[in-house]
Amino acid sequence: MIETPQLRPELLNKYNLNGPRYTSYPTALEFHNRFDQEDFKLAIQDSTNKQLSLYVHVPFCHSMCYYCGCNKIVTRQKNKADRYLDYLEQEIVNRAPLFTHHKVIQLHLGGGTPSFLSAGQFTRLMGILRQHFQFQTQVEMSIEIDPREIELNLLDHLKNLGFNRLSFGLQDTNLIVQEAINRVQDTEFVQALLTRARELNYDSINLDLIYGLPHQTSARFQQTLEKVMLLNPDRISLFSYAHLPTRFAAQRKIRDEWLPSGDEKLSLMLDAMAHFTANGYVAIGMDHFAKPDDELALAQKQQILHRNFQGYTTKGECDLLGLGVSSISSIGKAYAQNTKKLKDYYQAIEDKGQAVEKGVSLSQDDIIRGAVIKALMCNFMLDKDAISKQFSINFDHYFKAELIKLNTFLTDGLITITPKSIMVLAEGRLLIRSIAMAFDAYLNAATTQAFSKVI
Ligand code: SF4
């Protein structure tokens, strides 16, 4: 089990800067609109992958959570999803012929709120996907669920459609916190959902939590943590609330003085980490926890964990096709993103049958740095020899400047560097984003401001 780290206050002040979460390298900030459909096709042709992961973005939500920084549309009109599915169908019909040599091994529905869809709309969506793509017999099918607006029996319907993994947004169980974020939900109903999911033999249940929310105190969050343990999920995602009110208008409803201070926020995170590890969960990467027999925990142990736009995954060696407004694809040596506004998405599908707005084709340097950053973010360890061999470089020579940048972390006892490896120590794991930033060739003072604080 990974030891629960502490962080010296002076290091929190020194390294808790703004930085990417590295769900991709280069980050989405480097995507540009010179990347087009021809580049997208070229990436598919050049890709050696034969396995495909599908991501479908459902942008609608029933109401606005004030902390949210996602791309979503708040509406009560269910029929908006019918129109959306009409356009999604056209996109799928046009995209699928490019992937006839791929087999789908993974599907994830994210949002927004995928559970905004009705049972009939889910049936329709799955029918379209299965008609146009080749699904392998065993497919990992996961969906994010908002526990506020669904009926218990939706879980039965999703299971019948082939879904086997559920992720519920819990965030915090305290009513004062819930009211401040405009997300009041009943923990007893969440319990009922998890009970039903277990009766239906879902393979894995994840709960999302957020620390750093308004009015969250140590005592209140402790109660949330205890309730989470009673709910007994297979996985827990523990996200940091990034307060960026100048970027996200809804966050202006959250007053600065309601938020925990930097030190208090760090304590909330450390308390949660200690609580989960004391209860038998293994820390995965920087913000996930899983039971020791969960495949993420096993993959981390074998150092084969991957990271993509949905976070940590065991299925990194496949192409990822994003479908729907704002979705991101990772195909071979390229990233591509669909247009972010729904109106523009509809127009693009009508005009061109697809909605890629921007992207980036990776240079060899991007690929090497991406592999280094991924190893650090996933495994907290970098085998320099393996990178040298894989990319025919001399690691120490290639990353001479970056190794100098790492000296500060070395001096502060956050990492060790040997001729063969870089190891991130327990305290350094909390600052893994800052450490990975040393290998990012694109960062500068202006771009880092676009990212949230690393803790
Ligand atoms: S947190 Fe989820 S449910 Fe809430 S507004 Fe954002 S996307 Fe919608």
Side-chain angles (χ1 to χ4, degrees):
M1 188 183 298
I2 293 168
E3 110 193 48
T4 305
Q6 291 299 319
L7 185 60
R8 285 164 278 168
E10 65 272 23
L11 298 188
L12 176 68
N13 293 334
K14 184 173 174 185
Y15 294 118
N16 190 16
L17 310 171
N18 299 59
R21 298 176 58 78
Y22 291 118
T23 49
S24 71
Y25 179 82
T27 68
L29 275 192
E30 304 308 321
F31 296 180
H32 53 77
N33 56 16
R34 297 183 304 285
F35 185 97
D36 61 16
Q37 168 74 350
E38 288 314 304
D39 297 309
F40 188 85
K41 283 186 181 167
L42 213 57
I44 300 169
Q45 271 170 33
D46 290 349
S47 173
T48 51
N49 295 322
K50 293 286 165 272
Q51 295 187 319
L52 189 62
S53 176
L54 295 175
Y55 170 77
V56 180
H57 191 81
V58 180
F60 306 108
C61 296
H62 296 102
S63 63
M64 172 74 81
C65 310
Y66 294 156
Y67 60 83
C68 180
C70 298
N71 190 42
K72 78 273 170 191
I73 292 153
V74 175
T75 178
R76 305 293 309 175
Q77 296 171 36
K78 284 272 191 193
N79 61 355
K80 285 205 173 175
D82 287 323
R83 182 163 188 233
Y84 186 68
L85 289 179
D86 291 343
Y87 283 88
L88 204 52
E89 180 167 14
Q90 287 184 55
E91 187 185 16
I92 290 167
V93 166
N94 287 307
R95 279 289 180 238
L98 303 172
F99 292 92
T100 49
H101 299 300
H102 285 72
K103 280 209 164 166
V104 175
I105 61 159
Q106 191 178 42
L107 168 70
H108 181 73
L109 263 56
T113 305
S115 51
F116 182 94
L117 300 185
S118 65
Q121 288 164 340
F122 274 119
T123 305
R124 181 178 170 205
L125 173 61
M126 286 314 303
I128 297 166
L129 289 169
R130 287 190 187 277
Q131 183 187 348
H132 295 282
F133 290 100
Q134 284 186 69
F135 277 58
Q136 211 175 249
T137 324
Q138 299 289 331
V139 179
E140 183 184 299
M141 287 174 53
S142 56
I143 175 168
E144 294 164 18
I145 291 191
D146 180 345
R148 290 172 299 172
E149 301 265 357
I150 66 163
E151 301 290 332
L152 209 52
N153 62 9
L154 181 68
L155 299 190
D156 300 53
H157 188 64
L158 292 172
K159 191 78 198 329
N160 288 336
L161 289 174
F163 285 88
N164 41 38
R165 289 174 182 268
L166 302 173
S167 180
F168 296 98
L170 187 69
Q171 324 314 5
D172 191 300
T173 59
N174 183 278
L175 186 60
I176 297 169
V177 176
Q178 290 185 353
E179 283 175 342
I181 58 175
N182 196 36
R183 191 182 168 105
V184 175
Q185 58 193 27
D186 175 10
T187 311
E188 276 181 25
F189 185 63
V190 178
Q191 172 72 71
L193 283 167
L194 265 72
T195 302
R196 186 67 193 136
R198 292 210 173 86
E199 285 165 3
L200 292 165
N201 285 324
Y202 275 90
D203 293 343
S204 176
I205 300 167
N206 176 78
L207 290 183
D208 284 349
L209 295 180
I210 303 181
Y211 67 92
L213 290 174
H215 304 307
Q216 245 176 5
T217 60
S218 211
R220 285 182 187 142
F221 202 46
Q222 190 64 29
Q223 288 172 359
T224 293
L225 299 177
E226 281 162 17
K227 285 184 184 160
V228 169
M229 288 304 97
L230 291 176
L231 292 168
N232 191 23
D234 302 294
R235 294 178 184 175
I236 302 161
S237 307
L238 177 68
F239 297 117
S240 165
Y241 169 54
H243 190 55
L244 302 167
T246 48
R247 271 181 65 194
F248 305 114
Q251 294 188 353
R252 288 172 212 152
K253 303 250 186 192
I254 296 176
R255 290 204 206 144
D256 289 357
E257 62 268 28
W258 295 349
L259 295 169
S261 67
D263 286 348
E264 286 166 340
K265 196 175 169 193
L266 175 66
S267 293
L268 293 171
M269 183 187 76
L270 293 176
D271 287 353
M273 291 180 83
H275 199 84
F276 299 147
T277 48
N279 281 279
Y281 286 83
V282 176
I284 307 290
M286 58 178 187
D287 45 21
H288 286 62
F289 299 83
K291 291 189 173 168
D293 55 354
D294 184 280
E295 62 176 22
L296 281 186
L298 298 175
Q300 178 169 271
K301 209 169 172 184
Q302 294 161 33
Q303 303 201 328
I304 52 169
L305 195 62
H306 291 273
R307 191 162 168 75
N308 66 17
F309 295 104
Q310 281 98 58
Y312 290 100
T313 173
T314 56
K315 298 191 169 41
E317 300 300 333
C318 60
D319 286 329
L320 168 68
L321 174 64
L323 296 160
V325 64
S326 80
S327 64
I328 300 181
S329 301
S330 170
I331 311 279
K333 296 178 184 172
Y335 296 121
Q337 182 165 27
N338 276 355
T339 184
K340 285 186 184 172
K341 287 194 179 150
L342 191 60
K343 185 167 67 70
D344 297 344
Y345 171 75
Y346 288 163
Q347 192 62 55
I349 297 293
E350 272 177 25
D351 294 347
K352 307 178 285 187
Q354 50 83 21
V356 167
E357 182 181 66
K358 55 187 178 172
V360 62
S361 299
L362 305 184
S363 68
Q364 184 63 3
D365 182 63
D366 291 335
I367 293 167
I368 297 171
R369 286 173 190 273
V372 169
I373 288 172
K374 184 153 82 174
L376 289 170
M377 300 290 292
C378 291
N379 304 316
F380 298 122
M381 169 306 165
L382 182 76
D383 182 337
K384 292 200 268 176
D385 284 351
I387 294 286
S388 295
K389 209 165 147 193
Q390 185 181 353
F391 297 107
S392 305
I393 58 168
N394 176 316
F395 186 94
D396 286 351
H397 182 70
Y398 193 91
F399 288 114
K400 196 171 165 199
E402 288 73 11
L403 288 167
I404 292 170
K405 283 193 213 164
L406 288 181
N407 272 336
T408 179
F409 299 104
L410 193 62
T411 313
D412 285 328
L414 298 171
I415 58 171
T416 59
I417 303 179
T418 68
K420 288 187 174 301
S421 68
I422 298 172
M423 294 287 298
V424 181
L425 302 176
E427 203 176 10
R429 289 165 187 258
L430 301 172
L431 297 163
I432 189 62
R433 287 162 69 182
S434 304
I435 295 167
M437 281 160 71
F439 291 93
D440 189 328
Y442 294 94
L443 283 185
N444 58 47
T447 55
T448 48
Q449 289 315 308
F451 301 106
S452 59
K453 286 255 192 291
V454 300
I455 288 182

